[in-house]
């Protein structure tokens, strides 16, 4: 049993590694990141290739995740019915605010992008990738979620997601991102008092965002919803309007989000 568990753990670690790096990876890089010798790493990858979870590039013999896991994930999500419930809600908010609206879901100790709707006109769009990591301490979504927890829990989650107290010279985030524990805790307290997460040039230069947590009918925090756009357009005089739109939308999601089945919740 112990051997089987060890192999299963290694397979899952390899899948998580490849999921975080969509580009082709060399065997040596995978082995190093998994702390394995080349031989065991090769056998592990060969087994995943055989089962269809990983594909190998014939010319370079590099590896990447196949679409099998993604397709299974989509099949599971659509089986819950949640995408069909969420999309009309965020489409309505996007039409109102004429900005980018996104929803995240809680997945263990992190947030993951789940759905988006673009309300801005062509040529004026802010349209970031939906596949990137969510930097908890630098985004409105992240700060809204962290503020729903105790300070201790919030710091643990933020640090697992890349925040460090000695990050004064870190390239992560925009020019106004918080860099110290004291600043982060102060920001989270302001978020609780304000009722929504706010990030102005923190995730990236020139971008503002507001976010609120999404709860299900059992009062579990299951995700967040945000409105984001260029600072010149999403300025302070629009915050109250956006807060009201978010508040109405998260109440709607609260009524339709599954109580216990469906997506992970905190």
């Amino acid at each position: 049993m112990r051997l089987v568990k060890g192999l299963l753990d290694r397979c899952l670690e390899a899948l998580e590694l490849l999921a975080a790096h969509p580009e082709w990876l060399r065997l040596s890089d995978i082995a190093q990141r998994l702390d394995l010798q080349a031989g065991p790493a090769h056998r592990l990858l060969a087994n995943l290739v055989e089962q269809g979870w990983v594909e190998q590039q014939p010319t370079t013999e590099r590896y990447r995740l196949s679409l099998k896991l993604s397709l299974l994930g989509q099949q599971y999500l659509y089986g819950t019915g949640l995408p069909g419930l969420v999309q009309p809600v965020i489409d309505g908010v996007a039409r109102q605010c004429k900005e980018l609206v996104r929803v995240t879901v809680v997945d263990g100790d992190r947030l993951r992008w789940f759905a988006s709707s673009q309300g801005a006109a062509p040529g004026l769009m802010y349209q970031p990738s939906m596949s990137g990591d969510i930097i908890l301490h630098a985004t409105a979504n992240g700060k809204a979620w962290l503020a729903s927890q105790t300070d201790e829990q919030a710091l643990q989650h933020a640090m697992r997601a890349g925040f460090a107290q000695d990050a004064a010279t870190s390239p992560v985030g925009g020019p106004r991102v918080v860099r110290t524990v004291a600043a982060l805790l102060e920001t989270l307290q302001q978020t609780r008092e304000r009722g929504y997460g706010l990030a102005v040039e923190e995730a990236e230069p020139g971008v503002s965002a507001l976010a609120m947590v999404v709860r299900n009918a059992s009062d579990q925090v299951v995700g967040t919803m945000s409105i984001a756009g260029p600072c010149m357009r999403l300025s302070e005089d629009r915050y109250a309007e956006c807060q009201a739109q978010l508040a109405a939308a998260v109440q709607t999601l609260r009524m339709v989000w599954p109580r216990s089945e469906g997506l992970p919740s905190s």
Side-chain angles (χ1 to χ4, degrees), residues 2 17 131 147 161-162 209 213 232 235 259:
R2 187 177 301 174
L17 171 64
S131 62
V213 294
M232 60 181 292
S235 53
R259 287 174 178 267

Side-chain angles (χ1 to χ4, degrees), residues 155 159 163-165 179-186:
L155 284 176
M159 289 179 176
F163 178 76
Q165 188 171 4
R179 300 289 188 186
T180 67
V181 168
L184 176 58
L185 293 178
E186 181 181 359

Side-chain angles (χ1 to χ4, degrees), residues 112-126:
R112 295 189 186 277
W113 298 116
F114 177 66
S116 70
S117 184
Q118 180 59 260
L124 300 174
M125 292 181 180
Y126 166 63

